[in-house]
Amino acid sequence: MTKNVNSCTNPSGSRRAVGCIFGELLNNSPLFPGENDIEQLCCVLRVLGTPNERIWPEIKELPDYNKITFKENPPIPLEHVVPDASTEAVDLLKRFLVYPSKQRISAAEALLHPYFFKEPLPAHHSELPIPQRAGRKTLQHQHEFHVERPLVQSVTNPDLVSRHARVW
């Protein structure tokens, strides 16, 4: 029996995908910009280093392990990959991208990571801009938002939005 390593059904793969997106946000460009599967894998190996049984003992259990070999690469320090990121951001990124899925940060742990509690703090939803779309009217806020008010008390009433929603 082989293990399912598909990121769509495997939460640890999804957490790695979050790390890739987070890294792209930090860097304003993809961390692993491959044009196809093999090229993408080479990009991952170039940045994170070539995994081996010492750092990832479960690697031999992967269904396609040893079907293709890659040149041994040492990891590039993520501080060099995302040079403008804070120490906390780099630590969170490392914890999302670690090879062994059992060592990867959980979603609950990630939400409590120090990155989210250091300046600059996340913006309150009422402070975010409303995107404007060409030729379409956008829903404007029907009431005033208050940063001090709990989120559940400041969310727009769904009845106000429903008349503007489109059913696909």
Side-chain angles (χ1 to χ4, degrees), residues 3-16 101 104:
K3 292 185 178 184
N4 185 348
V5 291
N6 183 333
S7 66
C8 294
T9 58
N10 185 335
S12 65
S14 298
R15 291 192 311 267
R16 178 173 290 159
S101 59
R104 209 165 293 142

Side-chain angles (χ1 to χ4, degrees), residues 11-103:
S12 65
S14 298
R15 291 192 311 267
R16 178 173 290 159
V18 169
C20 293
I21 294 166
F22 182 55
E24 187 166 334
L25 290 170
L26 293 172
N27 219 24
N28 288 325
S29 65
L31 287 180
F32 312 117
E35 295 290 323
N36 56 52
D37 290 347
I38 296 297
E39 193 175 306
Q40 184 116 35
L41 185 55
C42 287
C43 290
V44 170
L45 299 176
R46 188 172 44 252
V47 172
L48 300 182
T50 309
N52 56 47
E53 292 177 32
R54 184 181 52 76
I55 62 166
W56 187 9
E58 299 85 11
I59 194 170
K60 351 176 241 218
E61 298 172 22
L62 296 176
D64 295 331
Y65 180 68
N66 274 341
K67 285 189 179 177
I68 187 169
T69 57
F70 293 91
K71 180 183 150 209
E72 279 291 318
N73 286 317
I76 298 172
L78 287 177
E79 294 83 356
H80 297 205
V81 178
V82 287
D84 297 326
S86 68
T87 304
E88 293 82 14
V90 172
D91 180 67
L92 181 58
L93 182 61
K94 284 178 184 176
R95 300 205 45 213
F96 272 124
L97 296 179
V98 67
Y99 278 122
S101 59
K102 292 176 184 173
Q103 293 177 21

